[in-house]
Amino acid sequence: MLQEQIRNIAIIAHVDHGKTTLVDQMLKATHAFRENQQVQERVLDSNDQERERGITILAKNISIEYQGIKINVIDTPGHADFGGEVERVLKMADGALLLVDAAEGPMPQTRFVLSHAIAAHLAIMVVINKIDRDGANPEKALNDCLDLMMDLGATDEELEFAMEHVVYASAVNGFARLDPNDGNIDMYPLLDMIVDAMPAPDVDLEGPLAMQCVTVDHSDYVGRIGIGRIYSGTIHAGDKILVVKNDGSREMSQVKQLFTFDYLGRKECSEAQAGDIAAVVGVDHTDIGDVYTDPENPVELDPIEIDPPTMSVVFEASTSPLVGRDGDIVGGRQLKERLMTERENNVTMRIEELPDKTGVEVAGRGILHLSVLMEQMRREGFEFQVGRPRVLFKDDGHGHKLEPIEEAVVECPGEYSGKVIELFGNSGGNMTNMVSGVKQDHLEFKIPTRGVMGLKNRILNVTHGEAVFYHNFLEYGPMEGELGKRQNGAMISMSTEKAVAYALGNLQDRGTLFVGPGDECYEGMLVGERSKPGDIVVNIARTKSLGNQRSSTADIAVQLTPPRTFTLEEALEYIMDDELVEITPKNIRMRKRILSEVERRKWRVRHGLVDK
């Protein structure tokens, strides 16, 4: 039976193609806000980091009402590192809006999200966005979308549906059109097409209750909240329900509160019917994949499988000489408690304490995925240190090691293509496709995840900042040889003092500095990168000898190049196995794991290592 008064749609797109802006305009068109209400842009990106980075990290549900029909809209992340969110939430949808930039066309991570939508057999409507942008080519973008769907195994019926249901839009200017040149100035053609063409949920209203939890929210007041779609039956507040876990175990529970989505918020209700998306309070320790069903007539649903993490990092309490200067929370116990709380709320990460209790290992889908958690914790006042991210290997069952392989795409001016190909070759990558364009070359590679670390900066350097680089997890493949070693050595501070301009002036001839005059440094801290291999210990506090004779150059000021600064992701990619990143609310510093030069030498002797 079709629930004609409900539509469940997901919005899928590559990073920065305008998903969240389009949702803003749909909300405005359906009068979600008062006429005089001040509304911030990208209202769904409610998380601070989402707003600053300009990306969607968490999938979110809203609902709008149009022509008496409730449209549940699911905004999905476009970045592959947050793919765990995408895979699950698409289970709630019957259709998807594929949003594509009219100038850029479908990009690598469009492929990633679209492949999951096609695998779920969703009806796909194409929205060509930014048609008013310079260089826009809506016709080519549409053809590229259809080609991509064909490559990903879409059926003839799915391709035909996508060809017949195309909308041309400019989300930032608030209009959608069935023809790019028809002059329409509002969003109603898009909303009309969703209502008229998107399939209504096909459900069994009279059957036993079956609801599957695909997202877990958390409240300090009521604990875990299970959010998912109701596939059959009706759920009421106060109902006794059977909870079937992914592993097959069963337990009884009671629905204490029930909510449905209402524009940007949730509305408490007494019942929710099949086809709708609901939030259930009262199921303790609910998890992704849990099925809420009728105890007398239990319904079985397929368990939800999430792609496993591909990279891990160890969090430790800070042992820096400057510990406690910036942050309020520095203890190992508080760090462990915070990460264990994250384990409760974040099912896409695997968080486990190390057997020797020295730290907590956090595994995720990529460096961006891990760094979002680190950034959140430093904003909460934590000080901690993390080691170099390491790739998680698998065994193929025959004693052979497999490692994660990424699909990487670089778009750059043709004059730099040779240098980019050389970089990938040195990092274990193999080129799989090359398309030469008038302005840009399009290069595709398969490369081990280990080889990707630190590659973005090197690509930007050889292309003078003109390259666009994307990558996402593809598969597990045979283990490559040794990869990812930093070519140049580091400059390491020999003392705990503030950096002095005179000393830095002499050191900058040897490489690139990471610190400026007056910066707090300590023994073992990385203060720069040499222009040659091999680490050196340097004195960053050396001052000029003052004699009683006047020098002809005495009044010439030291000319310093601004120091190189690192984002959190760049620092994680830069460090080597014997180094750490120290993270505080105000600073990101890189340091050696063993701070003392004498102790480092002893360690190298014990392990049979010698400096080059």
Side-chain angles (χ1 to χ4, degrees):
M1 177 181 174
L2 295 177
Q3 274 278 50
E4 290 291 355
Q5 75 277 20
I6 295 177
R7 301 288 185 276
N8 296 319
I9 60 164
I11 300 189
I12 57 178
H14 182 80
V15 177
D16 203 32
H17 278 198
K19 289 190 309 299
T20 311
T21 309
L22 186 78
V23 175
D24 284 359
Q25 297 297 346
M26 291 167 71
L27 285 163
K28 287 176 185 172
T30 52
H31 309 294
F33 313 114
R34 298 188 312 275
E35 289 203 11
N36 62 345
Q37 187 174 345
Q38 294 293 310
V39 182
Q40 62 187 12
E41 288 184 9
R42 303 197 325 272
V43 68
L44 276 195
D45 282 347
S46 50
N47 178 315
D48 285 347
Q49 289 194 65
E50 290 182 318
R51 302 193 67 76
E52 289 167 21
R53 295 171 186 261
I55 61 173
T56 300
I57 293 172
L58 301 171
K60 301 175 191 69
N61 298 58
I62 62 161
S63 84
I64 55 180
E65 193 163 309
Y66 182 67
Q67 294 183 355
I69 291 175
K70 181 180 182 181
I71 305 172
N72 287 312
V73 182
I74 305 151
D75 185 21
T76 63
H79 202 289
D81 277 23
F82 308 106
E85 295 277 329
V86 176
E87 295 154 43
R88 302 193 314 271
V89 297
L90 289 182
K91 280 185 167 283
M92 295 193 284
D94 299 296
L97 301 184
L98 171 60
L99 192 68
V100 176
D101 187 307
E104 295 181 355
M107 298 292 277
Q109 289 171 22
T110 315
R111 168 186 281 268
F112 170 79
V113 188
L114 183 59
S115 65
H116 287 295
I118 288 173
H121 301 294
L122 302 185
I124 293 166
M125 181 188 297
V126 181
V127 180
I128 307 295
N129 193 26
K130 304 186 184 182
I131 59 170
D132 54 338
R133 178 180 168 183
D134 289 342
N137 188 341
E139 191 176 332
K140 181 178 184 302
L142 175 60
N143 289 333
D144 288 348
C145 287
L146 297 172
D147 289 345
L148 178 58
M149 288 180 66
M150 205 178 299
D151 287 349
L152 294 173
T155 64
D156 291 346
E157 292 78 13
E158 289 166 345
L159 282 167
E160 198 172 317
F161 185 90
M163 287 172 67
E164 291 174 359
H165 300 95
V166 182
V167 176
Y168 301 91
S170 171
V172 74
N173 292 312
F175 65 76
R177 300 167 178 172
L178 301 182
D179 182 295
N181 304 310
D182 74 3
N184 183 64
I185 56 168
D186 56 42
M187 297 299 293
Y188 295 121
L190 172 63
L191 293 166
D192 288 335
M193 192 176 283
I194 290 171
V195 167
D196 297 339
M198 279 295 187
D202 189 0
V203 293
D204 182 1
L205 274 175
E206 304 302 322
L209 170 66
M211 171 180 170
Q212 190 163 35
C213 173
V214 298
T215 306
V216 175
D217 200 356
H218 187 271
S219 161
D220 292 337
Y221 302 103
V222 297
R224 285 189 156 203
I225 303 169
I227 299 170
R229 173 175 166 166
I230 307 167
Y231 291 93
S232 70
T234 305
I235 188 169
H236 302 84
D239 277 357
K240 297 274 189 194
I241 56 173
L242 177 68
V243 180
V244 182
K245 299 279 189 185
N246 265 352
D247 61 5
S249 62
R250 303 178 171 213
E251 60 184 49
M252 290 296 295
S253 194
Q254 183 174 15
V255 179
K256 292 178 182 172
Q257 284 179 291
L258 185 65
F259 297 87
T260 54
F261 290 88
D262 182 42
Y263 288 99
L264 288 168
R266 293 179 196 154
K267 178 174 71 177
E268 188 166 1
C269 58
S270 57
E271 70 169 39
Q273 292 186 328
D276 209 348
I277 294 170
V280 173
V281 174
V283 183
D284 295 333
H285 312 297
T286 192
D287 223 328
I288 300 302
D290 285 1
V291 177
Y292 307 155
T293 185
D294 186 334
E296 295 178 9
N297 299 297
V299 177
E300 289 189 8
L301 296 174
D302 293 335
I304 295 177
E305 293 181 8
I306 303 169
D307 279 358
T310 57
M311 191 173 281
S312 75
V313 72
V314 175
F315 285 64
E316 304 169 12
S318 178
T319 56
S320 161
L322 304 180
V323 67
R325 300 241 185 136
D326 297 344
D328 307 320
I329 313 170
V330 298
R333 181 178 57 80
Q334 292 105 314
L335 180 68
K336 177 188 165 187
E337 286 174 358
R338 171 65 178 83
L339 290 170
M340 291 306 150
T341 304
E342 187 70 21
R343 182 168 72 175
E344 285 289 308
N345 304 334
N346 191 340
V347 292
T348 60
M349 285 183 166
R350 194 176 69 225
I351 301 175
E352 294 167 356
E353 189 173 15
L354 295 177
D356 59 4
K357 310 289 186 188
T358 56
V360 179
E361 184 177 38
V362 178
R365 290 288 286 270
I367 283 183
L368 180 61
H369 192 197
L370 295 167
S371 70
V372 165
L373 171 60
M374 297 175 198
E375 182 65 36
Q376 184 62 40
M377 288 174 63
R378 73 186 285 233
R379 292 179 184 203
E380 292 168 10
F382 282 86
E383 278 194 34
F384 54 96
Q385 62 194 29
V386 295
R388 188 184 190 210
R390 65 180 187 85
V391 166
L392 299 175
F393 300 104
K394 280 172 70 171
D395 195 291
D396 66 352
H398 303 289
H400 299 125
K401 222 182 218 185
L402 301 178
E403 68 174 331
I405 306 292
E406 309 241 341
E407 178 184 47
V409 175
V410 177
E411 306 227 351
C412 66
E415 65 210 77
Y416 302 126
S417 294
K419 291 179 179 177
V420 170
I421 294 166
E422 184 183 350
L423 272 181
F424 272 89
N426 294 335
S427 301
N430 295 311
M431 189 163 71
T432 56
N433 191 20
M434 178 176 181
V435 180
S436 295
V438 179
K439 294 182 179 178
Q440 300 265 55
D441 282 1
H442 175 90
L443 310 172
E444 295 181 15
F445 302 87
K446 283 173 72 174
I447 181 170
T449 301
R450 287 180 299 143
V452 171
M453 286 198 281
L455 192 58
K456 183 177 180 181
N457 280 334
R458 299 204 292 277
I459 290 172
L460 290 176
N461 284 339
V462 300
T463 61
H464 297 190
E466 292 189 50
V468 180
F469 173 48
Y470 298 106
H471 59 93
N472 55 266
F473 173 73
L474 181 65
E475 61 191 3
Y476 270 86
M479 178 90 171
E480 295 278 348
E482 188 64 45
L483 297 174
K485 290 289 183 187
R486 194 169 66 221
Q487 302 299 313
N488 296 350
M491 296 186 206
I492 305 160
S493 173
M494 65 165 57
S495 57
T496 302
E497 295 178 80
K498 286 187 177 180
V500 173
Y502 177 75
L504 298 178
N506 291 323
L507 290 174
Q508 70 179 1
D509 296 335
R510 297 190 178 192
T512 306
L513 293 172
F514 303 158
V515 295
D519 287 355
E520 292 269 10
C521 301
Y522 54 81
E523 183 182 9
M525 178 174 152
L526 273 59
V527 293
E529 180 185 282
R530 284 186 79 189
S531 49
K532 300 177 184 176
D535 296 344
I536 56 168
V537 178
V538 299
N539 182 1
I540 44 84
R542 183 179 163 218
T543 54
K544 186 176 181 182
S545 313
L546 298 177
N548 59 359
Q549 294 177 327
R550 185 183 177 108
S551 165
S552 60
T553 59
D555 298 325
I556 297 176
V558 177
Q559 295 292 316
L560 287 177
T561 305
R564 177 181 170 188
T565 56
F566 287 81
T567 64
L568 189 45
E569 293 94 63
E570 288 168 350
L572 291 168
E573 291 182 333
Y574 183 82
I575 60 171
M576 302 305 295
D577 291 333
D578 65 337
E579 295 165 355
L580 299 167
V581 177
E582 178 198 349
I583 300 167
T584 78
K586 296 179 182 174
N587 292 289
I588 295 167
R589 303 185 185 98
M590 294 176 291
R591 50 163 282 189
K592 288 291 182 184
R593 187 174 286 278
I594 302 171
L595 296 177
S596 163
E597 168 63 6
V598 174
E599 294 301 322
R600 285 200 300 275
R601 282 185 186 171
K602 288 180 181 176
W603 186 88
R604 285 196 294 268
V605 169
R606 278 200 306 274
H607 290 80
L609 302 172
V610 289
D611 288 334
K612 292 180 180 176

